Amino acid sequence: MKTLFFTASVVALSFNLGGAFAQDRVPVQAPPTPAIEAAKDVPYPGLLKLSVDATDLDRKIFQVRETIPVAKPGPMTILYPQWVPGGHSPRNDLDKLAGLVVTANGQTLPWTRDPVAVHAFHFDVPAGATEVQLSYQFLTPVKPDVGRVLVTPDMLNVQWLQLGFYPAGYYMRGIQIEPSVKLPEGWGFGTALEKAGTAGQVTTFKPTTFETLVDSPMFAGRYYKQVELDPGGPAPVRLNMVADKPEYLEFKPEQLQAHKNLVQQAYKLYGAHHYDHYDFLMALSDTLGGIGLEHHRSSENRVAPKYFTEWDKNFAGRDLLPHEFTHSWNGKFRRGSDLYTPTLNEPMRDSLMWVYEGQTQYWGYVLSSRSGLMTKQQTLDAIAATAALYDTRAGRNWRNVLDTTNDPIIANRKPASWTSWQRSEDYYSEGQLVWLDADTLIREKTGGKKSLDDFAKAFFGVDNGSYVPLTYDFDTVVQTLNGVVANDWATFLKTRIEGLSARAPLDGLTRGGYKLVYTDTPTEYFKGSETRGKTINLSYSLGITVGAAGVLSAVNWDTPAFKAGLTAGETLVAVNGVAYSDDLLKDAVKATAKAGAAPVELLIKDGDRYRTVKIDYTGGARYPRLERIEGTPARLDDILAARK
């Protein structure tokens, strides 16, 4: 007892002393960090030079050197771009920058990373120095789980955004830079940058602004081909292709013609262009990392290796080039006022993504059909797949489209456990349905005399030839729509973008002369999407999507599979007592339509545990498609028809 009392007293005393000591303590302050100068819209004195050696194909390492002129000694801050244009988020690959050494006058300068703005680096310029030199490596991912693969034995993707620094205190458009790149011997390349000259394996480009540089990536490859898509047109438009094998670069005249048609149909739609030249960069590959990314005078596009050689099989997803091309008008030229920033280290805001991406998604489908990249039926089937996906998205009950514009920043496209409930970047395709709704409403109100094409000309067709960004806000969109036809467009848009609804906005289909139905056989587009994604999509029956080796890649919220307790990541081992196969599962789902059919019984493996699950479902196979509404105007057919 005596010992216990003593121990308690000591503890009590220590608490009391601790309280007294705490009152006398002064917190240790962190040392101040150098201030980062706010950007000014004035020219930077001097020309930066950036050289990239991209010849290390084995180790996939880019060696980089950069020279930055300086006007005076003292503290200096350089910035590595943080925000990714077109990615709408602060996700540039700072983690892959390594080996940074800063020198001036032959001496190494110690640098310090800003502890808060970690993309900023501080150092002191010594007296007498007229420039500083940087040397470092960009360690491109050596395998997909590290990041998007940029280098393969036969092609590579140079994204200057990942490779250069710029001095703080200046708008990027006021900083002049001369880039150069060393490529493997004999390789060809495509880029929107203008070539100054080539010496051996090194190509130097004409000086440009840092803003234009980071918006002008390169595809290069052992097997390369370039074709003109608009000879004699108002501005050169080129298709630059790299491929895993040389035979993949062979195409038929009608296939090339569809790409030429894309340019002409875009001009007819928008009534202007906003580039002095445009370069489609296209990788026909399954080894280079997937990408579809817009730029003002170019776009990065990875397509199936047999894009041309198996043309009739690879139409699912062929809206990629029309989508990215449209971004030259929508997103790069016309840009939401809260999205535009003068540097890439200032936060962007994505509130108008339902215009930027939603309307682009709409025009991507429309231009695919008008150009012949997809047939009208393939496009109708693609729209059906979109309509079904968002009409059954449970998350629409709690989260509106506007809030999903924050997803690039919130989720940065990381995989989600319950996408159908959490929602993702739904402003893309639900936005597409909103703009179809608007298009058909304009057509209905004007008796077919006007359409969303008229909005496109009025909104995107101004300042022909200019590629200086022109910003807009919500009111600008509403005013332009009212200039086409008077309507309460503000309420129309806010109801669909900011409101909650259990069902997707499908009035555009009805006014277009179609309705969404489900049948027991998938469309060719639906099957093509499954093949492209290497999945079995049973979203509209059991409520699951199955990936390779029977692994559940998605379980939709509040569906029969969800209610039975299934979760993404689990493996289907057997169906109704028989070893799993894709066809066996499909047959079991079809059989549920029969009278008195038993529940689908699945043997599930979750880690080292097994369990049997019975799914109470009796609806048979269900796949979405569009069906004509007899006796109504086929406005959707007209929307998808080529313009003369």
Side-chain angles (χ1 to χ4, degrees):
M1 291 294 295
K2 199 170 184 178
T3 303
L4 288 173
F5 175 78
F6 175 77
T7 303
S9 299
V10 171
V11 171
L13 179 62
S14 67
F15 276 129
N16 290 333
L17 290 175
F21 290 156
Q23 293 175 5
D24 296 333
R25 291 194 190 113
V26 176
V28 177
Q29 296 289 327
T33 57
I36 300 175
E37 186 178 357
K40 301 182 296 293
D41 193 9
V42 296
Y44 184 76
L47 176 69
L48 282 67
K49 294 187 177 183
L50 178 67
S51 64
V52 177
D53 184 336
T55 59
D56 190 348
L57 301 180
D58 293 330
R59 294 176 298 186
K60 300 177 171 58
I61 297 171
F62 290 161
Q63 297 286 346
V64 189
R65 301 186 69 85
E66 182 171 4
T67 300
I68 302 177
V70 293
K72 60 182 180 180
M76 183 173 186
T77 300
I78 57 174
L79 301 172
Y80 183 81
Q82 179 180 10
W83 287 75
V84 177
H88 321 306
S89 61
R91 69 182 195 203
N92 202 20
D93 289 324
L94 178 62
D95 60 305
K96 297 174 180 62
L97 174 75
L100 176 63
V101 176
V102 182
T103 60
N105 289 346
Q107 67 181 89
T108 299
L109 309 181
W111 54 263
T112 302
R113 187 193 303 266
D114 195 284
V116 177
V118 295
H119 292 70
F121 295 77
H122 308 288
F123 52 83
D124 288 320
V125 177
T130 58
E131 62 183 28
V132 294
Q133 296 85 32
L134 317 178
S135 65
Y136 47 96
Q137 298 82 42
F138 185 76
L139 309 176
T140 79
V142 297
K143 51 185 180 176
D145 63 355
V146 177
R148 178 176 165 262
V149 172
L150 299 172
V151 179
T152 80
D154 299 307
M155 67 181 67
L156 57 83
N157 181 190
V158 171
Q159 294 183 315
W160 304 99
L161 178 77
Q162 301 171 325
L163 302 176
F165 289 88
Y166 64 101
Y170 297 84
Y171 284 19
M172 295 188 309
R173 67 188 181 201
I175 301 170
Q176 290 286 314
I177 187 166
E178 180 187 81
S180 64
V181 63
K182 182 179 181 181
L183 295 172
E185 191 167 2
W187 281 31
F189 66 86
T191 179
L193 294 175
E194 297 180 31
K195 186 169 71 172
T198 299
Q201 295 172 240
V202 177
T203 296
T204 301
F205 299 95
K206 294 179 181 179
T208 188
T209 67
F210 198 89
E211 184 174 63
T212 298
L213 174 69
V214 298
D215 195 44
S216 306
M218 169 189 288
F219 276 11
R222 190 184 310 277
Y223 311 114
Y224 168 79
K225 181 179 287 188
Q226 182 190 83
V227 294
E228 295 286 341
L229 295 182
D230 190 26
V237 180
R238 299 175 285 251
L239 181 60
N240 301 270
M241 297 167 284
V242 292
D244 290 336
K245 296 180 181 180
E247 57 265 30
Y248 294 159
L249 294 174
E250 300 304 318
F251 47 78
K252 295 178 180 178
E254 61 268 25
Q255 296 167 352
L256 178 60
Q257 187 60 49
H259 293 81
K260 291 182 176 181
N261 293 345
L262 170 59
V263 179
Q264 299 308 316
Q265 289 297 318
Y267 287 168
K268 292 177 188 296
L269 174 62
Y270 301 120
H273 67 280
H274 300 292
Y275 44 76
D276 53 353
H277 58 86
Y278 190 92
D279 286 87
F280 288 99
L281 310 180
M282 188 165 76
L284 296 89
S285 176
D286 57 10
T287 55
L288 191 75
I291 192 170
L293 189 60
E294 69 270 17
H295 305 281
H296 209 141
R297 299 187 299 166
S298 64
S299 57
E300 297 168 274
N301 311 272
R302 196 203 75 175
V303 299
K306 298 180 180 179
Y307 178 85
F308 291 119
T309 57
E310 292 186 353
W311 182 260
D312 292 338
K313 295 181 180 179
N314 287 311
F315 56 84
R318 209 178 284 157
D319 61 303
L320 176 62
L321 268 66
H323 179 105
E324 303 304 346
F325 191 35
T326 286
H327 272 315
S328 183
W329 290 265
N330 185 8
K332 303 309 289 187
F333 174 62
R334 294 309 305 262
R335 199 174 308 180
S337 56
D338 62 351
L339 182 68
Y340 177 76
T341 58
T343 79
L344 292 180
N345 293 74
E346 299 175 37
M348 299 177 182
R349 294 166 179 83
D350 296 341
S351 68
L352 288 160
M353 282 292 108
W354 52 273
V355 182
Y356 183 126
E357 294 290 5
Q359 194 172 137
T360 296
Q361 189 77 353
Y362 179 68
W363 292 128
Y365 275 37
V366 170
L367 288 172
S368 294
S369 179
R370 291 182 184 180
S371 65
L373 284 168
M374 293 199 299
T375 66
K376 183 188 82 170
Q377 188 58 51
Q378 289 166 350
T379 309
L380 289 172
D381 293 342
I383 294 171
T386 298
L389 177 64
Y390 290 93
D391 199 39
T392 58
R393 179 141 288 185
R396 304 184 74 260
N397 290 294
W398 73 274
R399 192 178 185 202
N400 63 23
V401 173
L402 181 62
D403 192 59
T404 71
T405 65
N406 296 299
D407 274 344
I409 301 168
I410 293 171
N412 200 11
R413 296 188 175 171
K414 295 190 296 291
S417 298
W418 303 101
T419 302
S420 62
W421 184 240
Q422 294 167 267
R423 306 199 76 170
S424 184
E425 296 178 40
D426 290 358
Y427 54 84
Y428 273 88
S429 294
E430 191 164 330
Q432 172 191 352
L433 297 175
V434 170
W435 289 109
L436 172 61
D437 198 352
D439 196 350
T440 56
L441 181 59
I442 294 170
R443 291 167 185 268
E444 181 182 68
K445 280 180 165 291
T446 62
K449 294 178 181 178
K450 291 187 178 181
S451 69
L452 200 65
D453 290 45
D454 295 283
F455 171 88
K457 284 187 176 66
F459 199 71
F460 304 117
V462 296
D463 297 344
N464 185 34
S466 170
Y467 44 98
V468 177
L470 179 62
T471 60
Y472 63 88
D473 57 15
F474 178 83
D475 290 341
T476 312
V477 177
V478 169
Q479 290 164 9
T480 308
L481 284 167
N482 275 312
V484 177
V485 62
N487 186 52
D488 186 0
W489 289 110
T491 299
F492 175 94
L493 293 172
K494 286 187 176 182
T495 299
R496 290 156 179 77
I497 300 301
E498 299 180 19
L500 295 175
S501 172
R503 305 297 298 275
L506 300 186
D507 288 349
L509 291 178
T510 306
R511 280 196 223 95
Y514 286 85
K515 61 181 176 180
L516 176 66
V517 300
Y518 295 87
T519 65
D520 60 3
T521 56
T523 64
E524 290 302 311
Y525 183 90
F526 197 94
K527 289 191 289 187
S529 295
E530 287 183 313
T531 300
R532 183 168 175 246
K534 300 177 182 178
T535 60
I536 302 300
N537 189 345
L538 301 172
S539 293
Y540 311 107
S541 52
L542 300 185
I544 60 174
T545 304
V546 187
V551 177
L552 292 172
S553 55
V555 175
N556 293 349
W557 194 266
D558 207 28
T559 59
F562 177 88
K563 293 174 181 177
L566 294 185
T567 307
E570 296 176 328
T571 301
L572 305 184
V573 178
V575 180
N576 294 335
V578 181
Y580 175 82
S581 73
D582 293 343
D583 289 339
L584 182 64
L585 179 60
K586 291 179 183 178
D587 290 342
V589 172
K590 286 182 181 179
T592 62
K594 298 176 182 178
V600 176
E601 184 176 285
L602 303 174
L603 178 61
I604 302 296
K605 181 178 184 292
D606 183 8
D608 60 357
R609 296 178 181 272
Y610 292 80
R611 73 182 192 279
T612 299
V613 171
K614 292 183 179 181
I615 301 180
D616 187 12
Y617 172 73
T618 58
R622 296 180 80 244
Y623 298 99
R625 66 175 68 232
L626 297 186
E627 185 178 277
R628 271 287 285 130
I629 303 172
E630 294 300 326
T632 62
R635 296 187 179 99
L636 188 49
D637 289 1
D638 182 61
I639 289 171
L640 299 180
R643 296 301 180 254
K644 303 300 183 183

